[in-house]
Amino acid sequence: MAMEESSAFLQKNHKYLILVSVGLSSFMAALDGSVVNTVLPVIRQYFNSDVATIEWTVVIYLLVLSSLLLSFGRLGDMLGHKRIFIAGFGVFVISSMLCGLSVSAWMLVTMRAIQAFGAAMMAANSPAILTKNFPPNQRGQALGLGATMTYLGLVTGPSLGGMLAQHFGWRSIFYINVPVSLIGILFGIQLIPKDHNGEQNKEPFDLPGALLFSVGLIALLFSLNQGHAYGWGSGIILGGLILSGLLLAGFIAVERRTAKPMLDLSLFNNRIFSLSSISAVLNYISLYSITFLMPFYLIQGRGLNPAQAGLLLTAQPLLMAITAPLSGSLSDKIGTRLPAMLGMAILAIGLFLLSRLTPVTPLWYILLSLATAGTGIGIFISPNNSALMGAAPRNRQGIAAGVLATARSVGMVLGVGIAGAILTTVMAVSGDGLFQAIRLGYLAAMLFAILGGFASAVRKNG
């Protein structure tokens, strides 16, 4: 009887257990990114390394992850999303252990690149797994809960990283990935159904397209991410931008002529898919403008210590974690367009409030502004993700998930790049123009949020 009740429980809650497995991967990837950023000074001191070298532990992760998302999404469509997802979890576990065992800064950078390889395999297939295993009327809820796991990773990362590094050393921030990831692998193997792709498995992999896209995107993201360090007019940055333009143009040309392309460009003929992709990029530009600028305001401008700043910054991802599943469930009932528009509108209001920050702004106002922006982002993301994934055919769910993850990465780098360019330019011109630079940076981000709201408004109700 007990075994029958257990079997009935598993069958009834099967899709939610799948969500747990996928959610663990999202949680670990977000946690790992935020944890490493927090303890970079500790790692630099341990290896007696310069800042430029140790910064590559973050940069290489971003570049590798972003450049491989489309490729692994396509491989998921061809070979099965579960297979690529589980393999990615395995790579993530092994590389996390090797990160903790690193004996030099450059070994750590190399292991972080391999870790990003595994993270890309998971991130490119997670939304496809959820979309396939939840009915259309629960798709927004599922994707919202998945997003919540990402935000929980972002919320807990800084405090957990600081605690682990303080009591157990910086290596523990990588070792903690191992037991949690092993649980995720076990859940995934047991609970995620096998894919039945039929003839899809016989399609060839578009290697030329994959190489052109990966190298082109790496060149673009490197240029945008490092422009402030090398100088936006330097030869390496201008050369990287030109190279990325040529390679990405070549990628589009190849995809148009290839019978079985890596990226099915016909997906963008769908108004919902294309505008949801654009909205996602604009949303992440706004989000990462906040992520980049707020520490400068709080620590450099207001003189708070990192712990105090981290506590204030928790308000944004916390509200994102609360509102994302609620908005996803609502979009399952009323459609995705209205919640996405509302989310972008609230985000724009939050950014306007942030643009009014001064040297003496009360802390309650800062919290209110960050909470407003976080609420808008949380309301927007789940319906927009649901619209994008729902607009793709079942046999293109992997590539749709890859497009979604790539939009996030590109928006993130553009947000940091644009905010960084405004900050460095204004401060160089005015000498001590930190607050003026932050004001202009948030006003620029507000314009992107308004454009994102417009893009959501003019698409159909997915």
Side-chain angles (χ1 to χ4, degrees), residues 118-316:
M121 298 171 76
M122 295 187 293
N125 289 277
S126 298
I129 292 172
L130 292 179
T131 301
K132 282 188 171 184
N133 287 284
F134 277 78
N137 65 344
Q138 289 185 309
R139 186 175 61 225
Q141 179 191 36
L143 293 171
L145 289 169
T148 295
M149 295 299 287
T150 298
Y151 302 144
L152 288 176
L154 294 173
V155 169
T156 58
S159 57
L160 178 63
M163 182 189 70
L164 289 173
Q166 181 176 345
H167 295 289
F168 304 104
W170 66 266
R171 298 180 189 275
S172 63
I173 69 172
F174 295 108
Y175 292 146
I176 194 67
N177 292 343
V178 177
V180 179
S181 296
L182 287 174
I183 294 172
I185 291 173
L186 180 63
F187 270 52
I189 292 173
Q190 294 294 324
L191 298 172
I192 299 175
K194 291 183 179 179
D195 298 86
H196 300 287
N197 290 347
E199 296 299 314
Q200 192 71 11
N201 288 327
K202 298 180 181 180
E203 292 186 356
F205 182 71
D206 176 22
L207 184 59
L211 290 174
L212 284 169
F213 179 81
S214 296
V215 179
L217 190 62
I218 285 176
L220 175 63
L221 297 185
F222 171 83
S223 301
L224 294 174
N225 187 269
Q226 296 294 299
H228 68 282
Y230 289 92
W232 292 102
S234 65
I236 189 170
I237 298 301
L238 291 177
L241 291 173
I242 293 171
L243 177 63
S244 68
L246 293 173
L247 290 174
L248 293 176
F251 166 72
I252 293 174
V254 167
E255 298 306 276
R256 289 184 182 277
R257 294 197 300 266
T258 302
K260 299 295 181 181
M262 184 186 76
L263 175 58
D264 186 354
L265 295 176
S266 66
L267 287 172
F268 292 95
N269 293 332
N270 184 307
R271 186 185 184 92
I272 296 177
F273 187 91
S274 58
L275 290 175
S276 296
S277 301
I278 293 170
S279 295
V281 172
L282 294 168
N283 174 74
Y284 283 107
I285 289 175
S286 302
L287 167 58
Y288 279 91
S289 295
I290 300 173
T291 302
F292 179 81
L293 291 172
M294 277 309 295
F296 284 96
Y297 171 77
L298 294 174
I299 297 173
Q300 185 174 333
R302 298 295 299 269
L304 302 183
N305 63 46
Q308 292 169 326
L311 188 62
L312 281 171
L313 291 171
T314 301
Q316 179 182 309

Side-chain angles (χ1 to χ4, degrees), residues 437-454:
I438 288 173
R439 184 179 74 85
L440 292 176
Y442 283 134
L443 287 176
M446 183 186 73
L447 292 177
F448 286 115
I450 292 171
L451 289 173
F454 178 76

Side-chain angles (χ1 to χ4, degrees), residues 333-354:
K333 297 179 175 63
I334 68 171
T336 61
R337 183 167 59 177
L338 183 59
M341 290 168 52
L342 177 64
M344 277 298 205
I346 295 174
L347 171 58
I349 293 171
L351 288 162
F352 177 76
L353 294 176
L354 288 170

